[in-house]
Amino acid sequence: MRRILLLALAATALQVSAAPRHDKDTLENTRYQESEAEKAAREFKEADVALPTFPDTKSGGWFDIYVGNDFGKQPKILLDSISRAPDGTIRYVLNVQSQQGHDNLTAEGIYCSPTSFGGESKRSSYKVFGYGDPVNKRWIAPRKGGWKNIGSILSGADPIRAPLFRAFCEDGTPASQQALQQRVTERAGKYSPSMINRSK
């Protein structure tokens, strides 16, 4: 009797192993192979975008970015300069005024990664495309112009760009210029909900 039972179990196991296997039975798709064209489309390619017109620092189009009460400088972003480039990055003009009122202009871009995982995908990062020369009203290209990972910005490593990252990247990136401007005014100002200390 025992021998018959063992033979029946062996026959059942053989039938199960011979049954066709489907990808849906596994945790990953083992049949799909990503083509080179699809890989290329997924890879980040920086768009060649002309630098903006040199801004008027006295115009009324600047918005104060709130970093903290103890921060000695006053960063401002030119709302009209905010735009989305063809590569998906957000371009803008920043002015970090010193305590003495000196203008420190940069033309920058932020890339918002669609995933928080590293891997081979490009991570959220920012890049300075030009430094402002207020005397000659022109942009100067940086000597070392590369994308810098944002990574530790939210821990205080870069207090100026942290509120910009929250405004542009968190909860998805808006597609229109108007929506991007609205994000900044709602999230990066002194009285934005993310800056209010709710413990008081």
Side-chain angles (χ1 to χ4, degrees):
M1 184 70 179
R2 185 178 177 185
R3 187 174 179 185
I4 295 173
L5 183 61
L6 289 174
L7 287 172
L9 287 173
T12 303
L14 188 61
Q15 287 177 350
V16 171
S17 63
R21 185 176 178 185
H22 300 284
D23 285 337
K24 67 180 181 180
D25 298 327
T26 64
L27 294 177
E28 60 184 38
N29 189 331
T30 56
R31 294 183 181 181
Y32 177 74
Q33 295 291 328
E34 188 177 36
S35 69
E36 291 301 319
E38 288 170 321
K39 287 181 182 179
R42 183 167 49 82
E43 292 175 359
F44 174 78
K45 295 185 181 70
E46 182 183 311
D48 186 12
V49 178
L51 289 172
T53 304
F54 199 85
D56 178 5
T57 57
K58 307 301 181 186
S59 72
W62 296 89
F63 179 78
D64 291 341
I65 299 170
Y66 180 70
V67 174
N69 291 330
D70 299 329
F71 192 70
K73 300 175 184 178
Q74 178 53 66
K76 305 169 182 284
I77 188 169
L78 185 60
L79 292 176
D80 287 344
S81 72
I82 302 172
S83 64
R84 190 158 185 172
D87 56 17
T89 61
I90 297 121
R91 309 293 176 99
Y92 55 89
V93 173
L94 193 65
N95 183 8
V96 184
Q97 286 186 328
S98 68
Q99 288 182 316
Q100 295 76 27
H102 300 302
D103 297 314
N104 296 289
L105 294 159
T106 50
E108 301 184 1
I110 278 186
Y111 172 76
C112 302
S113 174
T115 175
S116 58
F117 298 101
E120 297 178 2
S121 300
K122 181 176 176 60
R123 297 184 179 184
S124 294
S125 50
Y126 78 94
K127 180 178 179 178
V128 175
F129 293 96
Y131 291 98
D133 175 6
V135 175
N136 298 302
K137 308 292 183 185
R138 61 175 183 144
W139 296 108
I140 299 173
R143 291 182 180 177
K144 295 182 179 180
W147 290 94
K148 298 179 181 178
N149 287 341
I150 287 176
S152 60
I153 277 183
L154 299 182
S155 66
D158 191 331
I160 295 174
R161 291 174 186 89
L164 292 179
F165 173 80
R166 283 191 289 269
F168 293 140
C169 299
E170 289 184 354
D171 307 319
T173 304
S176 70
Q177 182 181 30
Q178 183 179 3
L180 288 166
Q181 292 173 349
Q182 185 175 349
R183 276 282 192 92
V184 169
T185 57
E186 289 178 351
R187 298 186 180 188
K190 185 171 184 178
Y191 300 104
S192 65
S194 62
M195 295 296 177
I196 296 173
N197 186 347
R198 300 185 184 279
S199 64
K200 291 185 178 180

